[in-house]
Amino acid sequence: MTIDPIIESSWKEVLIEEFNKPYFAQLKNFLMEEKKHYTVFPPGGMIFNAFKYSPFWETKVVILGQDPYHDLHQAHGLCFSVQNGVAHPKSLINIFQELFGDAGVPVPRSGSLEKWAKQGVLLLNAILTVRAHQAGSHQNQGWEIFTDAAIKALSDKREGLIFILWGSFAQQKTVLIDRSKHHILQSPHPSPLSAYRGFFGSKPFSKTNELLRSMGKEAIDWRLE
């Protein structure tokens, strides 16, 4: 498996130093070794899809997740999103429920959030790969360093971004974000364990569009197929 980044050129320019650091070479070696013994998700060509679909200078909104879904055909490089034809995981079901309650968007057939990504919503997991059926199995191998660098680059080089942080893990990333330049929307995680503790009713979708319009930017069309 190769992890030579298939990403939009602006991200390559911003993150070039990360690709050349020792930890990234170690991460690549770890993944190559994992692939010899286990199934790894998402497939190699999809690992960097968040960066591929949302160019650095066109990103308007950042939604942070933890690590990819770990069952067959689910993960495709966008946090909370699953490939077409795959049953919606429980967290995604709750996201769609809040989307309907907040913005009146009907629950879509597909669980793919690719349409959001192509409008400048960076759907970024902190960890970009996972061993099949073992959640969190690729923690502390270097991905967190890489994705923290991406978040920090957005904070430092851009202005007026909206960071949507669901749950305590994502909210730990606030230390990387300059609140004087950017907007942060926080709520509990959409997982079944915490969705009723404040995720439902948090209205992240309408709040995001209100902020975008207030900055003279085009709102996100949250409707999906």
Side-chain angles (χ1 to χ4, degrees):
M1 177 180 64
T2 179
I3 59 163
D4 293 330
I6 304 172
I7 61 175
E8 198 272 338
S9 59
S10 62
W11 275 112
K12 278 193 174 180
E13 293 171 8
V14 169
L15 297 174
I16 188 65
E17 291 184 8
E18 300 304 312
F19 298 135
N20 293 323
K21 288 180 179 177
Y23 84 84
F24 201 85
Q26 293 168 5
L27 171 61
K28 183 173 182 177
N29 290 336
F30 165 77
L31 288 172
M32 292 173 68
E33 195 64 27
E34 279 281 286
K35 185 65 175 177
K36 293 177 183 176
H37 305 287
Y38 306 100
T39 299
V40 173
F41 297 135
M46 296 182 176
I47 291 173
F48 293 92
N49 270 356
F51 301 98
K52 176 182 175 183
Y53 291 132
S54 303
F56 182 81
W57 298 108
E58 294 175 26
T59 293
K60 298 190 290 188
V61 181
V62 182
I63 298 178
L64 294 178
Q66 189 162 355
D67 68 339
Y69 295 122
H70 52 81
D71 286 334
L72 196 63
H73 304 308
Q74 291 182 317
H76 64 132
L78 305 175
C79 72
F80 296 107
S81 179
V82 293
Q83 298 183 62
N84 287 325
V86 176
H88 300 175
K90 292 179 180 178
S91 290
L92 187 57
I93 290 171
N94 288 339
I95 289 171
F96 287 155
Q97 182 176 331
E98 175 61 16
L99 180 60
F100 177 73
D102 178 14
V105 173
V107 175
R109 293 186 301 274
S110 172
S112 173
L113 307 181
E114 188 176 312
K115 183 182 174 185
W116 295 358
K118 290 179 176 178
Q119 295 179 77
V121 181
L122 181 69
L123 298 165
L124 182 64
N125 277 315
I127 304 156
L128 299 189
T129 58
V130 67
R131 187 185 298 175
H133 317 303
Q134 296 188 39
S137 49
H138 286 184
Q139 289 180 355
N140 303 317
Q141 298 295 336
W143 279 131
E144 296 94 332
I145 302 172
F146 178 76
T147 54
D148 279 1
I151 296 166
K152 187 72 163 52
L154 285 166
S155 177
D156 290 349
K157 298 176 184 294
R158 298 289 312 280
E159 293 187 8
L161 298 181
I162 301 164
F163 290 84
I164 299 176
L165 308 180
W166 291 329
S168 59
F169 180 88
Q171 289 160 16
Q172 292 171 10
K173 305 299 182 180
T174 55
V175 297
L176 303 171
I177 302 166
D178 185 344
R179 290 174 177 266
S180 71
K181 296 167 58 181
H182 304 287
H183 304 275
I184 297 177
L185 300 177
Q186 301 185 64
S187 80
H189 195 275
S191 77
L193 296 175
S194 56
Y196 287 94
R197 299 176 187 166
F199 173 75
F200 290 131
S202 60
K203 300 187 180 300
F205 307 102
S206 60
K207 288 178 180 177
T208 292
N209 279 348
E210 287 170 10
L211 287 167
L212 288 171
R213 292 188 187 102
S214 74
M215 294 183 283
K217 299 179 182 180
E218 187 175 352
I220 304 299
D221 180 359
W222 298 110
R223 294 173 298 175
L224 297 164
E225 301 300 326

